[in-house]
Amino acid sequence: MEALVQWFAANLSQFISAEAVVFIISMIPILELRGGLLAASLLKIPETVSIPLCIVGNIIPIPFILLFIRQIFKLLKKTKLFRGLIIKLENRAMGKSDRIRKYEFLGLVLFVGIPLPGTGAWTGALIASLLDVDIKKSSAAILIGILMASVIMYVVSYVLVGNIVS
């Protein structure tokens, strides 16, 4: 993940502001808020700017995933080109769904909020959609999870990494 963050920061910052780079990174699956905050700390963007920027960037795709991903997957599975990829994505997401299925709201909060590889708002929204979790409940859980991840990643990015890099 760090290599991806550094690549985006190095290549995009030539063309757009550092804040825009962080915002875009926060919207990208896999990197999301954790990658955005890490990039922000490396680009020396103040926490007061980067945290809201990363939260908003991470939230923007979530309603679209919750509302439309099942229809998009259904459509893409009809094409030979994307069928295998979509089935693989569904299986991977459902393989991580045990906590969410068992604890639903709290499971989704923890899944999104604890920044581990393969977790985050994108995957949480995908799982919630595939499990047909109520959209209001899943939206609230994902938002709380994003806020929780913000606190954890602030400590990692600005306190730990920031002190090592400085």
Side-chain angles (χ1 to χ4, degrees), residues 6-7 21 32 54 88 101:
Q6 289 176 345
W7 183 88
V21 170
E32 301 187 38
C54 290
K88 184 178 176 182
R101 185 177 287 131

Side-chain angles (χ1 to χ4, degrees), residues 9 19 24 34 59 82 108 118 125 141:
E19 290 81 4
I24 290 168
R34 45 197 111 176
I59 287 173
F82 293 108
L108 190 54

Side-chain angles (χ1 to χ4, degrees), residues 65-66 69 73 89-90 93 121-131:
I65 296 168
L66 290 172
I69 199 67
F73 276 11
L89 282 172
E90 284 179 336
W122 276 77
T123 308
L126 174 60
I127 293 169
S129 180
L130 293 175
L131 291 176

Side-chain angles (χ1 to χ4, degrees), residues 11 16-17 25 31 35 51 75-76 83 86 98 108 115 137:
N11 290 300
I16 57 178
S17 70
I25 288 172
L31 297 177
I51 292 172
L75 181 68
L76 290 174
R83 185 178 305 118
I86 299 305
D98 292 341
L108 190 54
K137 186 185 285 188

Side-chain angles (χ1 to χ4, degrees), residues 38 62 126 134 140-141:
L38 188 58
I62 302 311
L126 174 60
D134 177 67

Side-chain angles (χ1 to χ4, degrees), residues 21-33:
V21 170
V22 167
F23 184 76
I24 290 168
I25 288 172
S26 297
M27 292 178 68
I28 297 173
I30 300 169
L31 297 177
E32 301 187 38
L33 176 129

Side-chain angles (χ1 to χ4, degrees), residues 96-119:
K96 297 178 182 232
S97 68
D98 292 341
R99 285 188 296 177
I100 294 171
R101 185 177 287 131
K102 186 174 180 181
Y103 300 107
E104 205 165 90
F105 186 85
L106 182 60
L108 190 54
V109 168
L110 294 174
F111 185 85
V112 173
I114 298 174
L116 296 170
T119 67

